[in-house]
Amino acid sequence: MRILGVETSCDETAAAVVIDGRRVESNVIWSQIALHRAHGGVVPELAARGHITAIIPVVETALAEANVSKGDLDAVAVTAGPGLAGSLLVGVNVAKAFAFALGLPLIPVNHLDGHIYANWLGPAGAEPSEPEFPVLCLLVSGGHTELILMKSHEERVHLGSTLDDAAGEAFDKGARTLGLGYPGGPAIQETALTGDASRFDLPRAWLGGTDDFSFSGLKTALLRSVEPYRTEAPASVKVVGSPFVEHVAPVYAPGAPIADLAAAYQEAIVEVLAVKAVHAARAHGAKTLALAGGVAASKALRARIVAEIAAQNVDLGFRVPAFEFCTDNAAMIAGAAFHRPGRTGEAIWEIDVHPRLPLFA
Ligand code: KG4
Ligand code: ZN
């Protein structure tokens, strides 16, 4: 089954063609990072306008790169939520029109399912082996931190989630505090390379006996640790002739231990994620630990999970999507639509956007 996937939930305009949820024929991503960088984060209105400009060329490029014509498609899949309402509307309406015009089924997909099913995608042109159930999935993105036990595609148990900030949000806010820019995860990863994590002892919220997480205390501890070195506070200034405010990064004294703090902060986040995920996998007899979401791109997190599996001496396969399938993309949406086509019966015109769509209703 050849599915065209469309994803516009946040700040990436993406389209992809995937066969049977595994074989990626094309994966086109138009990133808006440059558009939002000056503002220190995603500006919803700018994102929606950006999608409108990009979506048609992105879909056409995805079809061209897959070397297929519209008639070769069996279905269209689109992210219906969660995400920014204005951004989701662009993808859903384009997908609706496309599916209707071609007489194809339209499959609405939960963006979080997309991240999970990135683990079923093969590298370009190849088909991977199926992850073995039960799968313990650690889903870590800009908006979510979830532990999910998948006994099969249909039977899933929600084990825990963050009580406050998501892991990606913690990276983004931490990077802002340190004046490292946006998006925060890659900026912290890069800066941490030259830092010594052992110079700062930042707190870990273990929340023992639960599969939940908390990162807000860590964020505050980072702020306290860096404050003594600050010479100029962060600010928001109005951009002349524009309705937007620009984010101005804080300024730190020369020699401030920014790299050390970045390394200590990154280690604090990935240690809790890795230890708790491997522990949960062991407790529930999982055969596979699957990492998903934008934070799955973290090299430190990947390495820490591998180390933790060895340290806890568990017989556990580790799956992580290729880097291009970790952050937002449309191949994962086409993949999820194949494995969980739960709502295919819905009339095309009734499909709507759901900015707060939960993974577990
Ligand atoms: O899944 P995603 O692309 O968008 C959402 O659905 O939220 O995730 C984006 C998040 C951002 O918070 C970003 O800082 C984080 O993923 N991220 C990383 C890395 N690359 C992206 N976090 C840590 N290390 C990275 N290398
Ligand atoms: Zn995402």
mmCIF file of all heavy atoms in Angstrom, residues 7 9-10 111-112 115 139 141-143 293-294 326-329 332, ligand 2:
data_model
loop_
_atom_site.group_PDB
_atom_site.id
_atom_site.type_symbol
_atom_site.label_atom_id
_atom_site.label_comp_id
_atom_site.label_asym_id
_atom_site.label_seq_id
_atom_site.Cartn_x
_atom_site.Cartn_y
_atom_site.Cartn_z
ATOM 1 N N GLU A 7 2.534 16.419 6.569
ATOM 2 C CA GLU A 7 2.718 16.837 7.977
ATOM 3 C C GLU A 7 2.988 18.340 8.031
ATOM 4 O O GLU A 7 3.933 18.836 7.415
ATOM 5 C CB GLU A 7 3.892 16.034 8.570
ATOM 6 C CG GLU A 7 4.704 16.698 9.671
ATOM 7 C CD GLU A 7 3.957 16.893 10.989
ATOM 8 O OE1 GLU A 7 3.192 15.992 11.378
ATOM 9 O OE2 GLU A 7 4.136 17.957 11.610
ATOM 10 N N SER A 9 2.216 20.085 11.368
ATOM 11 C CA SER A 9 1.670 20.383 12.700
ATOM 12 C C SER A 9 2.389 21.518 13.412
ATOM 13 O O SER A 9 1.831 22.149 14.295
ATOM 14 C CB SER A 9 1.695 19.132 13.569
ATOM 15 O OG SER A 9 3.022 18.774 13.878
ATOM 16 N N CYS A 10 3.641 21.773 13.047
ATOM 17 C CA CYS A 10 4.377 22.820 13.763
ATOM 18 C C CYS A 10 5.149 23.689 12.766
ATOM 19 O O CYS A 10 4.545 24.459 12.034
ATOM 20 C CB CYS A 10 5.286 22.177 14.800
ATOM 21 S SG CYS A 10 6.038 23.368 15.915
ATOM 22 N N HIS A 111 -0.121 12.886 15.396
ATOM 23 C CA HIS A 111 1.303 13.200 15.232
ATOM 24 C C HIS A 111 2.193 12.320 16.141
ATOM 25 O O HIS A 111 3.295 11.911 15.745
ATOM 26 C CB HIS A 111 1.504 14.681 15.578
ATOM 27 C CG HIS A 111 2.905 15.167 15.446
ATOM 28 N ND1 HIS A 111 3.469 15.509 14.238
ATOM 29 C CD2 HIS A 111 3.865 15.374 16.375
ATOM 30 C CE1 HIS A 111 4.716 15.904 14.434
ATOM 31 N NE2 HIS A 111 4.989 15.826 15.724
ATOM 32 N N LEU A 112 1.701 12.012 17.322
ATOM 33 C CA LEU A 112 2.489 11.210 18.272
ATOM 34 C C LEU A 112 2.616 9.768 17.778
ATOM 35 O O LEU A 112 3.662 9.129 17.939
ATOM 36 C CB LEU A 112 1.864 11.259 19.662
ATOM 37 C CG LEU A 112 1.699 12.680 20.213
ATOM 38 C CD1 LEU A 112 0.949 12.664 21.527
ATOM 39 C CD2 LEU A 112 3.058 13.341 20.387
ATOM 40 N N HIS A 115 5.450 9.765 15.356
ATOM 41 C CA HIS A 115 6.779 9.629 15.974
ATOM 42 C C HIS A 115 7.057 8.172 16.353
ATOM 43 O O HIS A 115 8.153 7.660 16.130
ATOM 44 C CB HIS A 115 6.894 10.527 17.204
ATOM 45 C CG HIS A 115 7.222 11.952 16.860
ATOM 46 N ND1 HIS A 115 8.353 12.293 16.140
ATOM 47 C CD2 HIS A 115 6.588 13.118 17.140
ATOM 48 C CE1 HIS A 115 8.388 13.607 15.994
ATOM 49 N NE2 HIS A 115 7.330 14.131 16.577
ATOM 50 N N LEU A 139 8.759 8.246 24.167
ATOM 51 C CA LEU A 139 8.441 9.285 23.188
ATOM 52 C C LEU A 139 8.817 10.649 23.773
ATOM 53 O O LEU A 139 8.209 11.090 24.752
ATOM 54 C CB LEU A 139 6.944 9.209 22.863
ATOM 55 C CG LEU A 139 6.303 10.317 22.054
ATOM 56 C CD1 LEU A 139 7.047 10.559 20.763
ATOM 57 C CD2 LEU A 139 4.866 9.950 21.738
ATOM 58 N N SER A 141 9.531 14.573 22.728
ATOM 59 C CA SER A 141 9.524 15.610 21.685
ATOM 60 C C SER A 141 9.448 16.981 22.344
ATOM 61 O O SER A 141 9.601 17.099 23.561
ATOM 62 C CB SER A 141 8.334 15.389 20.754
ATOM 63 O OG SER A 141 7.146 15.701 21.441
ATOM 64 N N GLY A 142 9.188 18.003 21.530
ATOM 65 C CA GLY A 142 9.102 19.350 22.072
ATOM 66 C C GLY A 142 7.891 19.534 22.986
ATOM 67 O O GLY A 142 7.891 20.364 23.877
ATOM 68 N N GLY A 143 6.857 18.741 22.754
ATOM 69 C CA GLY A 143 5.632 18.900 23.540
ATOM 70 C C GLY A 143 5.301 17.715 24.422
ATOM 71 O O GLY A 143 4.370 17.784 25.230
ATOM 72 N N GLY A 293 10.513 10.633 18.688
ATOM 73 C CA GLY A 293 10.339 12.078 18.893
ATOM 74 C C GLY A 293 11.626 12.833 18.613
ATOM 75 O O GLY A 293 12.698 12.236 18.491
ATOM 76 N N GLY A 294 11.514 14.154 18.524
ATOM 77 C CA GLY A 294 12.669 14.981 18.165
ATOM 78 C C GLY A 294 13.882 14.770 19.053
ATOM 79 O O GLY A 294 15.024 14.794 18.585
ATOM 80 N N CYS A 326 13.555 11.355 13.103
ATOM 81 C CA CYS A 326 13.341 11.679 14.527
ATOM 82 C C CYS A 326 12.543 12.963 14.670
ATOM 83 O O CYS A 326 11.509 12.999 15.317
ATOM 84 C CB CYS A 326 14.673 11.835 15.246
ATOM 85 S SG CYS A 326 15.505 10.271 15.557
ATOM 86 N N THR A 327 13.036 14.046 14.075
ATOM 87 C CA THR A 327 12.298 15.310 14.158
ATOM 88 C C THR A 327 11.157 15.247 13.126
ATOM 89 O O THR A 327 11.069 14.305 12.336
ATOM 90 C CB THR A 327 13.230 16.510 13.907
ATOM 91 O OG1 THR A 327 14.082 16.190 12.821
ATOM 92 C CG2 THR A 327 14.093 16.795 15.120
ATOM 93 N N ASP A 328 10.293 16.254 13.145
ATOM 94 C CA ASP A 328 9.051 16.160 12.383
ATOM 95 C C ASP A 328 9.276 15.888 10.897
ATOM 96 O O ASP A 328 10.094 16.537 10.242
ATOM 97 C CB ASP A 328 8.237 17.446 12.580
ATOM 98 C CG ASP A 328 7.715 17.544 14.006
ATOM 99 O OD1 ASP A 328 7.790 16.535 14.736
ATOM 100 O OD2 ASP A 328 7.235 18.621 14.388
ATOM 101 N N ASN A 329 8.529 14.925 10.379
ATOM 102 C CA ASN A 329 8.633 14.521 8.960
ATOM 103 C C ASN A 329 7.319 13.870 8.568
ATOM 104 O O ASN A 329 6.477 13.576 9.424
ATOM 105 C CB ASN A 329 9.812 13.557 8.786
ATOM 106 C CG ASN A 329 9.590 12.248 9.513
ATOM 107 O OD1 ASN A 329 8.992 11.316 8.971
ATOM 108 N ND2 ASN A 329 10.026 12.149 10.763
ATOM 109 N N MET A 332 6.899 9.402 8.673
ATOM 110 C CA MET A 332 6.358 8.762 9.878
ATOM 111 C C MET A 332 4.826 8.824 9.901
ATOM 112 O O MET A 332 4.165 7.942 10.451
ATOM 113 C CB MET A 332 6.958 9.421 11.127
ATOM 114 C CG MET A 332 6.510 10.849 11.390
ATOM 115 S SD MET A 332 7.357 11.550 12.835
ATOM 116 C CE MET A 332 6.293 12.971 13.176
HETATM 117 ZN ZN ZN B 2 6.929 16.102 16.532
#
